Amino acid sequence: MDNIIIREIKPEDNEQIAKVIRSVLVEFGVPKVGTAYADKSLDIMASTYNKDKAAYYVIDKGGKIIGGAGVAQLDNYEGNVCELQKMYFMPEARGIGLGSAMMTKCLEKAKSFGFEKCYLETMPYMGDARKLYAKVGFEPLDGPLGDTGHYSCNVWMIKTL
């Protein structure tokens, strides 16, 4: 954990975080369509989250980005619900408590924005991520909320903040 910090994204992080996210998705065999892989926002993450009630954090290890996650209003949904978005970590960032730390940071930020619930979408074979989500109080849903465009993600969860 030496030399590792969680901080808000900066424009100069855009290229690195896009590579991290795409690399993790490829590692897990996630479809390139209907998932975050195809999101146009991946290449401009700093500006994507530079809006009201949105934040994105990166894990910075001595200048190298090794993970990230963010929160923003759930797209195409009426209600005071945010979405935990684009939470992906390189192998070196896994299993050392960074997932819990990032989750705490994102959920605290969502609460400070005044959101009442936090929603997320994931894949059934991302077992470690699903365990973390359940551990912090996310519960399964029978179907999606809103319309994120991630139609290949078929596990939906929600947490009251």
Side-chain angles (χ1 to χ4, degrees), residues 88-146:
Y88 297 102
F89 299 155
M90 295 299 290
E92 66 193 277
R94 299 177 198 154
I96 56 174
L98 290 171
S100 293
M102 181 67 84
M103 183 74 65
T104 297
K105 189 140 190 111
C106 287
L107 294 175
E108 284 176 358
K109 191 64 161 179
K111 281 184 198 177
S112 79
F113 287 146
F115 288 112
E116 295 170 2
K117 295 184 178 190
C118 186
Y119 168 80
L120 65 83
E121 297 175 334
T122 189
M123 306 294 275
Y125 44 83
M126 292 187 152
D128 288 341
R130 289 188 9 257
K131 284 179 193 171
L132 173 62
Y133 301 145
K135 182 179 171 183
V136 299
F138 278 89
E139 296 178 357
L141 290 169
D142 292 331
L145 299 181

Side-chain angles (χ1 to χ4, degrees), residues 46-102:
S47 60
T48 297
Y49 287 87
N50 186 16
K51 60 184 179 184
D52 288 343
K53 296 177 77 171
Y56 195 85
Y57 299 98
V58 294
I59 301 171
D60 181 329
K61 181 180 181 183
K64 179 184 175 191
I65 304 303
I66 60 171
V71 291
Q73 175 69 42
L74 176 59
D75 285 340
N76 304 302
Y77 185 77
E78 293 295 322
N80 198 13
V81 177
C82 69
E83 181 185 14
L84 180 68
Q85 299 177 336
K86 295 175 178 60
M87 184 163 163
Y88 297 102
F89 299 155
M90 295 299 290
E92 66 193 277
R94 299 177 198 154
I96 56 174
L98 290 171
S100 293
M102 181 67 84

Side-chain angles (χ1 to χ4, degrees), residues 9 13-25 37 41-45 56 65:
I9 193 169
D13 301 324
N14 283 341
E15 186 177 337
Q16 284 192 69
I17 193 62
K19 285 181 181 175
V20 165
I21 293 169
R22 287 186 176 114
S23 172
V24 172
L25 290 169
Y37 191 96
S41 65
L42 275 194
D43 297 310
I44 53 167
M45 293 285 280
Y56 195 85
I65 304 303

